[in-house]
Amino acid sequence: PISQAIAQRFIQDGYPSKINLAGIDTQVGFKLFCEDKKVDIVNAVRQITSQELAACAKSGVEPIDFQIATDAVTIVVSSQNSFLPNSLTRDELAKVFTVQKWSDVNPKWPKELIKRIVPAGAGTGGSVDLFAQTILQGNISQLTNAPNTIFYDFVEQLHSEALINPYMVGFLEYNSYKQNPDKVRAIAIDKVDPFLSTYPITRPLYIYADAKAIRQRPEVAGFVNYYLTYVNEEISSLGYFPAKPTVLDESKTKFLQVKGNK
């Protein structure tokens, strides 16, 4: 969504050609960028891996990262859920996403099965990994092997389950929650809401570009420069959080250094 907004603004401000955008997983994006050399810029929810760096080096691609925003993974329950408080501790969340029944977490809660709705495979955008690192001490299998767990490819599947099952729980990106806040109820962690900077399940968002493309192709350099200049004006309405001014300044400095290095 951020790149879409920036691309639309870039075109409105006079860029004469078409910009092709694709909503794909970070891993797939890096393959197209490093191995296939079919894309100029990659949106990423994590930093590039050593294997991906090696693939880039083999293809002659020099990936440069620019941190552009922060996203949060938001815990949600059905709007019909009347027993769960608005905030849970990390220990309670760890149990919610691994045990059988709600009463196994707190005996005062219903003796009903917990229906877990979590992102699937390529569609996780790294959110499953991030959740496991933050809440389950990195033990992803605890989450993926938990009983009565369903994996969704599209967030509409989570919304549908929330409408019919008051005993569901799941997580999704904060921007997806913000677009449909009436369909589910967000749960704070240790009394910290997901829209606060101290919320524990957050991750930086990046764009990656080829240093050689920045130096040799004016349209790539122009778009990256435009992105870093206007990103903070676009992201707040999209449900993301701005990178710290110092971080964004580092990205801008990095761009100028790359562009000036002939």
Side-chain angles (χ1 to χ4, degrees):
I2 304 175
S3 289
Q4 188 172 28
I6 293 292
Q8 289 173 348
R9 183 168 175 166
F10 193 56
I11 292 170
Q12 288 170 357
D13 279 352
Y15 181 67
S17 302
K18 183 180 179 181
I19 299 175
N20 293 315
L21 296 166
I24 55 178
D25 181 71
T26 294
Q27 184 176 348
V28 177
F30 276 129
K31 183 179 185 301
L32 293 172
F33 179 70
C34 294
E35 297 179 33
D36 303 333
K37 300 178 73 172
K38 290 184 177 179
V39 298
D40 296 313
I41 295 170
V42 179
N43 301 287
V45 297
R46 58 168 172 79
Q47 291 188 313
I48 193 168
T49 65
S50 56
Q51 292 88 347
E52 289 160 346
L53 277 172
C56 276
K58 189 175 180 180
S59 301
V61 174
E62 300 176 29
I64 303 295
D65 68 293
F66 304 97
Q67 186 176 332
I68 47 91
T70 300
D71 189 20
V73 173
T74 306
I75 312 300
V76 295
V77 296
S78 170
S79 297
Q80 304 171 60
N81 187 313
S82 58
F83 62 89
L84 208 65
N86 290 327
S87 179
L88 295 175
T89 66
R90 294 192 195 202
D91 288 344
E92 287 172 330
L93 270 179
K95 292 178 182 178
V96 165
F97 279 90
T98 54
V99 301
Q100 289 262 11
K101 298 179 180 180
W102 286 104
S103 56
D104 294 333
V105 183
N106 186 325
K108 296 180 180 179
W109 296 346
K111 295 180 180 179
E112 298 283 349
L113 290 175
I114 302 173
K115 185 75 166 286
R116 285 171 274 265
I117 316 293
V118 300
T124 65
S127 56
V128 166
D129 291 346
L130 181 61
F131 177 89
Q133 290 166 10
T134 308
I135 303 300
L136 300 175
Q137 299 181 327
N139 193 338
I140 295 176
S141 62
Q142 265 194 301
L143 174 66
T144 56
N145 295 333
N148 209 29
T149 299
I150 292 177
F151 300 90
Y152 69 82
D153 291 301
F154 304 99
V155 72
E156 289 78 13
Q157 294 168 266
L158 181 147
H159 291 153
S160 296
E161 189 66 32
L163 287 173
I164 62 174
N165 189 344
Y167 304 109
M168 63 78 63
V169 65
F171 55 83
L172 70 174
E173 295 176 348
Y174 180 72
N175 77 301
S176 295
Y177 162 72
K178 189 173 181 180
Q179 290 168 16
N180 296 277
D182 56 323
K183 294 186 177 179
V184 289
R185 176 161 66 95
I187 300 297
I189 301 175
D190 292 325
K191 298 184 179 180
V192 180
D193 288 311
F195 54 81
L196 297 175
S197 61
T198 51
Y199 183 75
I201 316 183
T202 58
R203 60 186 175 188
L205 302 178
Y206 304 89
I207 57 170
Y208 276 77
D210 181 7
K212 288 191 293 186
I214 290 174
R215 290 192 291 266
Q216 298 170 7
R217 296 173 55 198
E219 72 277 18
V220 175
F223 185 74
V224 172
N225 183 49
Y226 190 91
Y227 207 123
L228 297 176
T229 301
Y230 295 107
V231 63
N232 276 359
E233 294 183 15
E234 296 291 337
I235 60 174
S236 60
S237 63
L238 298 173
Y240 296 96
F241 309 97
K244 293 180 180 179
T246 53
V247 172
L248 194 58
D249 285 345
E250 286 174 8
S251 290
K252 292 176 180 177
T253 300
K254 189 184 301 184
F255 168 78
L256 293 173
Q257 290 172 339
V258 170
K259 192 172 185 301
N261 184 9
K262 304 295 184 183

